[in-house]
Amino acid sequence: MTTTTRFQTRPLVRAVALAGLPLVIMGSGSALAQGSELEELRQRVQQLESRLEVPAESKMEEENNYLRRDGNGIRIGNTTVTIGGFIKADVLAGSNGNGWENAYSVGLARSFANAAKNGESDWKTGFSARESRLSLATKTLDVAGHDLTTYLEMDFNQGADAPGNEVVSNSYAPRLRQAYGSWNNWDFGQTHTTFSDLAALPEILDQGKQAAFVYIRQPMVRYNMAAPGGKLLVALENPEDGFGSNSYDDQSYPDLVARYQLRNSYGIYSIAGLLRSLEDDAADETEVTGAVSVSARIPTVGRDDLRLQYNYGALGRYIGLFTYPDVDLAAQAGGDVKPLKTYGVTAAYRHHWNSSWRSNLSVSHLEIVDDLEASPAGTLSYFDTSTSVHANLLWSAHPKLTLGLEYAYWDFGEIATSSREQYEQVMGSATLRF
């Protein structure tokens, strides 16, 4: 329905009416002397006022019929576009000579373990803004009867050896994090694996760097459906059983992943299953294997919550940012595809001190279950257990601004020995969202 906006004092109308009053008087002859002619004059002024009124909606469409604000985004036709992201400025001091090579802020358990074993006692410091992100989201109404949404996200963590350096300009190229679209309960593209429960992800500054949390992204096709008490997600996802820069690319079948999530006033609970085919064309060997995961996010006192995750099976690249390979590398060198089974557990507690201050304590442990063909040649490093502890204090003066300080401790158990190596780091971070 068209609405009109009326000026309360009508200063413009009054000015125009008064300016035209002499003409009206001249045209009305002896109107001032006659009551009927005075009434006619009043009516003419009212007509002049009505002609100057413009319907609010019509005026807006007339000025800009294509581009307009719509909620939190910009509407272009039937599509709303939203730009988001954050600037994340980090400073890290790491023990044993680790200070973020080339400002690369994605620390791996293997790199921490190597630092722990290198014998240096000095702490090194590094600064980075490479975790900063830029995202673009869209929502288009009524695409074949359903809303169509898309999401594109980038950051600058290509790798420690990627073009760019800390010497002069700290120039780094963006990389693709997520790129997917959703329509009619289907997801197409690259996003977090269905095997990962982001609701149970601990809130730490060095995000994703727990010893045993499932935290990867990959291309997929996924269907989401309602289920009793929650939802069921089933996906075919990109298969891979390489390691580092060695990608075999000889998988015949996609990874099959399913997750059931229950959500109610008692928390968020999930169980997930993974079925995958590990193959080696050179040895003409194929092994079908899998893994399971259970997780929960449980509200406790006030705004506090407890986050839990347990994983078991041929987890390989899915867990701990690829701490261990998918197969025993020594066995594979001998022509045998032997899935490397591990288990991992993570527990984190978040406590709100008040509306602005909060703290998180996270403990995570990952361990190889199988006996190795040769140690440590069957893995990517010298250790078969890793344990991480993170403790932080965060201050959010505003939902758009968070400052934090975090301490992390890592412990690595050497294969076939009782020796252990330790690594520590202190990290400060400022996150400014837009």
Side-chain angles (χ1 to χ4, degrees):
M1 182 176 67
T2 301
T3 59
T4 60
T5 302
R6 302 180 64 93
F7 297 94
Q8 295 299 320
T9 59
R10 301 189 181 91
L12 178 60
V13 173
R14 298 297 184 192
V16 173
L18 290 174
L21 189 57
L23 297 178
V24 175
I25 295 174
M26 291 174 62
S28 59
S30 58
L32 293 175
Q34 301 179 23
S36 60
E37 292 181 353
L38 284 174
E39 178 62 22
E40 182 181 352
L41 177 61
R42 186 184 64 82
Q43 292 176 358
R44 289 184 182 182
V45 171
Q46 289 178 345
Q47 290 175 1
L48 183 58
E49 288 180 342
S50 64
R51 289 175 185 174
L52 291 177
E53 293 174 352
V54 180
E57 182 177 317
S58 300
K59 183 178 181 180
M60 180 188 69
E61 293 179 353
E62 190 175 311
E63 291 176 349
N64 192 344
N65 192 38
Y66 190 62
L67 185 66
R68 72 182 72 173
R69 285 283 177 180
D70 184 11
N72 293 325
I74 299 174
R75 184 175 176 185
I76 305 174
N78 287 331
T79 300
T80 299
V81 180
T82 305
I83 298 174
F86 55 78
I87 302 299
K88 190 168 187 284
D90 299 317
V91 56
L92 176 143
S95 68
N96 305 92
N98 180 63
W100 274 356
E101 181 182 355
N102 202 18
Y104 183 55
S105 57
V106 176
L108 303 176
R110 297 198 307 275
S111 62
F112 296 155
N114 292 337
K117 197 175 175 63
N118 71 7
E120 289 191 35
S121 58
D122 292 341
W123 285 60
K124 301 299 183 182
T125 301
F127 286 73
S128 177
R130 294 179 66 180
E131 198 177 332
S132 300
R133 296 180 194 171
L134 177 65
S135 64
L136 180 69
T138 70
K139 180 177 181 179
T140 305
L141 304 177
D142 192 18
V143 176
H146 302 276
D147 292 346
L148 172 66
T149 62
T150 65
Y151 184 75
L152 177 67
E153 181 182 75
M154 297 177 293
D155 68 7
F156 304 87
N157 271 317
Q158 282 191 317
D161 57 349
N165 62 77
E166 298 180 76
V167 179
V168 177
S169 64
N170 286 267
S171 302
Y172 303 102
R175 67 164 185 169
L176 179 69
R177 280 181 55 87
Q178 299 188 74
Y180 68 94
S182 301
W183 178 83
N184 193 21
N185 296 323
W186 288 91
D187 299 325
F188 305 93
Q190 177 171 307
T191 185
H192 294 278
T193 176
T194 310
F195 197 59
S196 179
D197 183 10
L198 296 182
L201 180 67
E203 184 186 26
I204 64 173
L205 297 182
D206 209 7
Q207 197 55 266
K209 287 76 170 180
Q210 300 91 7
F213 201 85
V214 175
Y215 191 68
I216 70 169
R217 299 175 301 276
Q218 60 192 12
M220 69 182 69
V221 177
R222 179 168 63 197
Y223 186 71
N224 309 270
M225 67 190 79
K231 62 180 179 179
L232 176 66
L233 302 85
V234 180
L236 296 176
E237 304 191 6
N238 183 58
E240 181 56 70
D241 58 2
F243 62 94
S245 60
N246 298 312
S247 176
Y248 303 137
D249 287 331
D250 55 8
Q251 297 79 31
S252 300
Y253 309 101
D255 289 357
L256 174 62
V257 190
R259 172 175 295 278
Y260 169 66
Q261 184 183 84
L262 176 67
R263 183 186 294 260
N264 54 41
S265 59
Y266 298 102
I268 304 173
Y269 302 86
S270 287
I271 182 169
L274 167 66
L275 186 66
R276 54 196 308 217
S277 175
L278 303 180
E279 306 176 24
D280 187 348
D281 285 352
D284 193 25
E285 285 285 333
T286 300
E287 184 76 24
V288 177
T289 185
V292 295
S293 175
V294 292
S295 57
R297 181 172 174 174
I298 307 169
T300 56
V301 180
R303 299 171 60 192
D304 294 4
D305 62 67
L306 175 66
R307 306 180 186 197
L308 304 170
Q309 186 182 83
Y310 175 81
N311 311 281
Y312 177 84
L315 296 161
R317 66 186 179 89
Y318 276 86
I319 194 168
L321 297 182
F322 200 26
T323 299
Y324 299 119
D326 294 292
V327 298
D328 186 325
L329 300 182
Q332 186 184 56
D336 184 21
V337 176
K338 181 182 178 182
L340 193 61
K341 289 188 172 56
T342 58
Y343 83 89
V345 59
T346 301
Y349 191 84
R350 181 170 68 171
H351 173 65
H352 289 265
W353 302 101
N354 53 41
S355 60
S356 300
W357 292 85
R358 63 188 182 277
S359 292
N360 296 267
L361 176 63
S362 173
V363 180
S364 189
H365 178 79
L366 178 61
E367 185 170 340
I368 296 176
V369 176
D370 293 336
D371 293 329
L372 300 173
E373 291 285 330
S375 304
T379 70
L380 298 173
S381 191
Y382 66 87
F383 59 96
D384 59 358
T385 69
S386 65
T387 303
S388 66
V389 179
H390 290 76
N392 60 39
L393 178 63
L394 308 179
W395 177 58
S396 293
H398 185 275
K400 298 288 187 180
L401 172 65
T402 299
L403 306 179
L405 184 66
E406 181 171 278
Y407 169 78
Y409 174 88
W410 288 76
D411 180 86
F412 302 95
E414 292 191 25
I415 298 172
T417 75
S418 59
S419 298
R420 313 194 71 84
E421 305 289 347
Q422 289 77 39
Y423 168 78
E424 298 174 271
Q425 71 178 28
V426 177
M427 181 177 180
S429 180
T431 304
L432 303 90
R433 301 183 180 275
F434 55 87

